[in-house]
Amino acid sequence: MMAIDVVMQWLHLLGAAVLVGGAVYARLGVLPALAEVGPEARAQALGTLAARIRPVAFTAVGALLLSGLWNLVTNFSGKPPAYHLALGLKLLLALHVMATVFLLAVPPGANPARDARRPRLLAGLAVSGVLILLLSAFLRRGF
């Protein structure tokens, strides 16, 4: 295995850990804590959180795209159909996660309907992220 392969795998794992771990923490830790404050303070805290997390989330998405494309190009050929099926499911879930990150990156207050859906969006992102990690383990160990 070449050094670039190792670096790309680390980059992919780091991006996934940051993105999925952040989503799980935000949904299970931050949002329940903010439920105890008033709506004005909650909106202000969510706005501050979104502004601080946005560059980290976008960097993690960029790292996942770069390293995922590298892994796809270098490891795609010679795999059985079941591998391609699992990879397709993983990529569809990854698109869902990335779209949700971009939806959540919009500061609160711009769209009240989306603000009401933030907890559900974060929960969906966390569940999809965990499913991606499970599929990744299957792809790595199963083939």
Side-chain angles (χ1 to χ4, degrees):
M1 182 179 269
M2 294 176 41
I4 187 75
D5 292 329
V6 173
V7 169
M8 287 297 178
Q9 186 176 9
W10 286 350
L11 186 63
H12 204 72
L13 291 173
L14 181 63
V18 167
L19 204 57
V20 176
V24 170
Y25 176 72
R27 179 60 186 105
L28 299 179
V30 174
L31 286 181
L34 289 177
E36 300 174 6
V37 299
E40 299 85 20
R42 184 180 317 121
Q44 183 179 5
L46 283 174
T48 304
L49 181 66
R52 288 187 175 192
I53 294 298
R54 189 177 303 118
V56 174
F58 287 172
T59 302
V61 167
L64 286 168
L65 285 172
L66 175 70
S67 59
L69 184 61
W70 176 268
N71 290 332
L72 185 67
V73 168
T74 58
N75 297 319
F76 191 70
S77 63
K79 304 289 184 181
Y83 177 90
H84 295 292
L85 175 67
L87 182 64
L89 289 173
K90 178 184 171 185
L91 293 176
L92 287 173
L93 286 169
L95 287 173
H96 170 258
V97 165
M98 289 177 201
T100 306
V101 165
F102 287 113
L103 286 173
L104 289 169
V106 176
N111 186 343
R114 184 183 302 132
D115 292 345
R117 291 192 312 262
R118 279 183 189 273
R120 195 174 65 207
L121 286 171
L122 269 172
L125 192 151
V127 168
S128 292
V130 169
L131 288 173
I132 290 170
L133 293 176
L134 291 172
L135 281 169
S136 298
F138 173 73
L139 289 169
R140 179 62 66 180
R141 302 285 179 221
F143 297 99

